[in-house]
Amino acid sequence: MNANNAPCMVKSGLGLEDVPDDEDDWKRNLQKVSLMWNDIMVVPSSISPNCPQLATLLLNYCSSLQKISKRFFQRMQGLKVIDLRNTSITKMPKSVMSLKKLNALVLNFCSQLSRIPSLAKLTSLRKLDLRGCIRIIEVPDGLGMLVNLTYLSLREMSIERIPDGVVCKLKKLQHLEADYIAMKGEEVGKLRKLEALRCRFKNVNELNEYTLRATTLESYSLVIGARTDHGYWRGVLAYGVDNLNFFNGGKVIIMGEGEYKIRETCHLPRDVKALWIRDYEGRWNISTFMGLEELKELRIKGCGE
C-alpha cells in the first residue's frame, strides 16, 4: 500500500535480475508497480500478470533491460503511465500500442531502440518522450493521430524532418521539443495552445510563416538554416552558451549557415531576447532589427560582409 492506500508493488534498487513472478506479488487490484534501478535483462513470455487495474508501471533505469515480451502487457489494459527511460530495449512490444487508456509513454535515452510500432491507437496519450532515442531515424507512424498530446519531445534523435500535415493535427500541444528537426512554419504557427517550443526552420520563409501566425509563447528556441547535421548545430550552440541559460525559459533565435536572404523579408518575433547569427554571407538590412524592444543579446560571427 502507498500513502493513498492504493495497492502497489515497490521493488526498486534491489539488484533484481528477474522480474518477480510470484502470483502474490502481482495481485489483481495492483495500481502501481515500481521495478526501477534493477539489473533485469529480459521480461520473458512466461510472465503475463493479470492486473487490469494497474495504472503505473516503472521500469526506468534498468539499464540492462533489452527485451520485454509482448505478453507482459496483454492483461494490463488499464495502464496509464509506462516509464522505460534509460533502458536498453531494442524494440517496443506491439501490445503496448493497444493500451487505449495510456496517458504517458516515457522512452527517453533508450539509445538502442530503433523503431516504434504505429502509435495510431494511443489516442488518450498526453505525453510522448523520445529524447535521446538516437537510433530512430523516422517519425513513428500514427503520430498525427495523437490528438490529445500536450507534450512531445523528439530531442537528440536522428530524424531530419517531420512529414507535412502531422504537426498541425496535434492541436493540444503545449510543449514541443524537436531541436534540429525541420518543421513547417505554418503548421507550428497554428498550434494555438503552444507554450514552449524548440525546433528548426530550414529557411527564413519558414520562419516568416511561423511568426505571422504564432501566439505569444513562454519560451522558444529556434534554429534557422538548411544544415541537417547535428554536429554543425551543436558547434553553433557552443558559441556563447556559457553566457546564456540556453533553451531554458529563454526566447532565442539562432540563424546558421543556409541558402537564404534576410533583408527586409525576415520577420522576427517581436519578443525575441537573444539573436545569434553565424556564417551568413549576405548583407544585412538594419531594419531587420527594428522594433525588437526586448532584445538583450545580439551575437554575430562569420558574417564576412
Side-chain angles (χ1 to χ4, degrees), residues 247-262:
F247 280 165
N248 293 313
K251 296 185 176 182
V252 183
I253 294 179
I254 296 177
M255 310 192 79
E257 180 181 317
E259 297 178 1
Y260 50 81
K261 295 180 180 180
I262 293 181

Side-chain angles (χ1 to χ4, degrees), residues 87-91 109-115 132 134-135:
T87 61
S88 298
I89 56 171
T90 57
K91 62 180 181 179
F109 298 106
C110 291
S111 58
Q112 302 304 310
L113 185 63
S114 59
R115 188 178 180 276
I134 57 175
R135 293 179 182 267

